[in-house]
Amino acid sequence: MSPQDSGQQWPGQQWPSQQPWGQGHQQWGQPGWQQQPPGQQPPWGQPSYQARPPYPGSPYQGGPNNPFGQPRYVAPPKPGIVPLRPLMFGEILDGSFQAIRRNAKAMLGAALLAQSLAAILAAVVTAVTATSMGSIEAWADTATAEDVAALGIGFFAAVLVVALLTLFISAVLQGAMVVPVARSILNRPTSFRRMWALSRSRAGALVRLALLLLGAGLLAFVLLAVLGVALVSAMEGTGALLLIPVVLNFIALSIWIAIKVLVAPAAVVVEELGAVAGLRRSWELTRANWWRILGITVVISIMVGIVSQVVMIPVSLLTSFLTTVATPHAGSEQTAAVAVAVGVATAVLGALVGALGYAFQTSVMALLYMDLRMRKDGLDINLLRLLESGADPDGVPGRGAAPGPSGRDGSGPAAGAWPDVR
C-alpha cells in the first residue's frame, strides 16, 4: 500500500491535491495526455509522433482514415494482369491466362505458326502412308537394300530439316511472345504486327541462341553415346551397369541447365542482349530460385500434358468408332479415306491444342522472367514510375531499365529490390 493510499506522507514530500486526470501530472512537469491536433507539436517541446511521409512507391501510405498520419498498408497497384510486386504461383497462372485472353491474336497466332510445320508434316505423312500403303508394300517386296537405305536416309533428312526449321521458328516466336506479356503487365494491348515490330530486331540473337542450345545438346548427346559405347565395349556387362548412373546424372544435369537458361529468350528480347549475354543473364537471374522455377515448370508441364491428352481422347474414340462400327466391312479405298480424314483431323486438333499449350508455357516463362527481375532488380519500382508517367506507351516495359547496383560479388540485392526472406 502506498503512502498516498494510507493518507500518510513521505518526509519532505507533499502530494498534489486531487485533480482531474491529465492536470495533476502537469504540476510535476509532465505533459498532459490530452489529444493533440494532427500535425501540431506538443507545447512542452516534446517531438511529435507523426510518421514521416513514405517514400515514393511505398505500400505504406497515409490517408483520411489515418488522422494522426500513421502509415497504413496499401496494396501495390495492379494495372494489368499481375500486381507490381514479386509474384506468387497462383498469380503467375492467372496472369498467363489473362495475357493470352487479352492478346489472343498475337499469342495464339504466333503459337500456331510455331506449331504449323510439325502439324503439316504429321498430316502429310499420315495421308501419304494411308493412301499408298499397298504400293509401298509392293515396292518393298521388290526393293533392294540400297533402295530401302536411300528411302530411310531421305525420310530422316526431311524430318531433320523440318525439325530444325520448327526449332528456329519456335525460338524466334517464343522470344517475340514475351513482348505482349510484358506489355500486359501495364495493361497495354499488343497486336501481332506490333509484337513483331518490337521484337524483329532480336530475331538474329534468338536464332543464335537456338543454335547454341541445339549445338550444346547435340554435343552432350554425342559425348554420352561415345562414353556408353566405350564402357560397354571395355567392360561388357559391368560397363552396362555403370552406364545407368551415368545416364541418370546426364538427365539430372540436363534438367539443371535447362532451368538455368529458361528465361534466356526473354532476356534477349526485353533487355536487348546477345545470345551469350542472354544465357549469362538467365544464369544470374535464376540464382537462388532454381527449385522454385523447377516446381513451377513441372506443374505447368503436367497441366498442359493432361489437358492435351483429355482433348485428344475424343479423336481416338472417333477413330475406333469409324473403323469398327461405322464401316466394319469397308473396302481398302474407304478405309484409306477414313484414315486420311482421321489423320488430318488429329493433326489439326493437335496443332490447336499444342498452340494453346505453347502460348501458355511461354506466358509463364515471360512472367517468371519479370518476377525474377522484380525480386533482384527492383523492376516493379521502374514499372510503377512508367505507369505513373505514361512514358513510352509503344515500347516494351522493362526495356532500357538497367539493373540496380548489387553487392561486390554480384549476388547482393539491387537497389529497390525486394528482400529475399526465404
Side-chain angles (χ1 to χ4, degrees):
M1 179 178 298
S2 64
Q4 185 178 8
D5 295 335
S6 61
Q8 300 177 1
Q9 296 182 354
W10 294 103
Q13 177 71 45
Q14 175 145 12
W15 289 96
S17 59
Q18 297 292 333
Q19 297 182 10
W21 175 259
Q23 297 181 7
H25 295 277
Q26 297 181 13
Q27 295 183 2
W28 290 87
Q30 299 295 332
W33 296 100
Q34 60 265 31
Q35 181 177 353
Q36 298 296 326
Q40 180 178 344
Q41 294 289 343
W44 304 277
Q46 298 296 330
S48 172
Y49 292 97
Q50 183 176 359
R52 297 177 57 189
Y55 60 87
S58 170
Y60 295 94
Q61 305 289 342
N65 296 327
N66 296 283
F68 299 100
Q70 296 298 328
R72 65 182 178 88
Y73 179 78
V74 178
K78 184 183 177 183
I81 57 177
V82 292
L84 297 183
R85 57 165 173 74
L87 306 176
M88 295 183 291
F89 175 65
E91 292 169 339
I92 292 177
L93 290 183
D94 180 66
S96 301
F97 283 116
Q98 290 193 45
I100 297 174
R101 182 175 59 85
R102 297 187 183 192
N103 308 279
K105 293 182 179 179
M107 300 291 292
L108 295 181
L112 280 174
L113 286 177
Q115 301 292 319
S116 59
L117 284 179
I120 292 173
L121 177 63
V124 169
V125 169
T126 301
V128 171
T129 304
T131 55
S132 58
M133 183 62 68
S135 59
I136 291 177
E137 293 178 355
W139 175 82
D141 293 337
T142 58
T144 61
E146 291 78 6
D147 296 335
V148 175
L151 179 63
I153 293 175
F155 180 77
F156 178 77
V159 171
L160 181 61
V161 169
V162 173
L164 290 177
L165 288 176
T166 303
L167 175 64
F168 293 143
I169 293 176
S170 299
V172 173
L173 293 176
Q174 183 183 20
M177 291 165 66
V178 176
V179 173
V181 177
R183 287 175 55 84
S184 295
I185 294 179
L186 297 183
N187 197 24
R188 297 175 178 178
T190 307
S191 62
F192 186 87
R193 180 178 299 179
R194 184 179 297 277
M195 178 190 70
W196 178 244
L198 292 173
S199 59
R200 179 173 51 193
S201 61
R202 313 310 307 155
L206 289 171
V207 171
R208 291 192 293 272
L209 177 64
L211 284 174
L212 284 176
L213 295 177
L214 177 63
L218 290 177
L219 179 61
F221 182 77
V222 169
L223 291 178
L224 179 64
V226 171
L227 179 61
V229 171
L231 287 176
V232 173
S233 300
M235 303 181 182
E236 296 182 353
T238 306
L241 292 177
L242 292 176
L243 191 60
I244 295 177
V246 171
V247 172
L248 294 178
N249 290 329
F250 175 78
I251 295 174
L253 181 62
S254 301
I255 295 175
W256 182 72
I257 295 177
I259 297 299
K260 294 292 291 183
V261 300
L262 180 66
V263 298
V268 167
V269 173
V270 176
E271 301 182 52
E272 297 182 307
L273 302 176
V276 178
L279 291 173
R280 190 182 301 115
R281 178 64 168 153
S282 177
W283 203 278
E284 176 187 354
L285 287 175
T286 54
R287 184 182 303 168
N289 285 275
W290 189 88
W291 286 105
R292 174 173 172 268
I293 299 173
L294 174 66
I296 294 175
T297 305
V298 170
V299 172
I300 296 300
S301 301
I302 292 175
M303 289 175 55
V304 172
I306 292 176
V307 172
S308 301
Q309 293 299 323
V310 170
V311 172
M312 296 303 295
I313 286 176
V315 179
S316 303
L317 296 178
L318 179 62
T319 304
S320 302
F321 175 78
L322 291 176
T323 55
T324 60
V325 179
T327 58
H329 305 290
S332 59
E333 295 181 358
Q334 293 179 346
T335 303
V338 170
V340 170
V342 172
V344 172
T346 303
V348 171
L349 186 59
L352 293 175
V353 176
L356 184 58
Y358 185 82
F360 180 64
Q361 289 177 311
T362 303
S363 300
V364 171
M365 182 269 294
L367 286 179
L368 278 174
Y369 164 76
M370 302 299 284
D371 170 68
L372 291 173
R373 287 196 63 186
M374 290 179 189
R375 294 174 183 270
K376 294 181 176 292
D377 299 340
L379 180 62
D380 49 339
I381 305 299
N382 292 327
L383 294 178
L384 183 60
R385 293 170 181 168
L386 190 63
L387 174 68
E388 293 175 346
S389 63
D392 196 17
D394 298 328
V396 181
R399 178 175 288 181
S406 58
R408 294 180 180 179
D409 59 351
S411 61
W418 289 73
D420 192 354
V421 297
R422 289 172 297 130

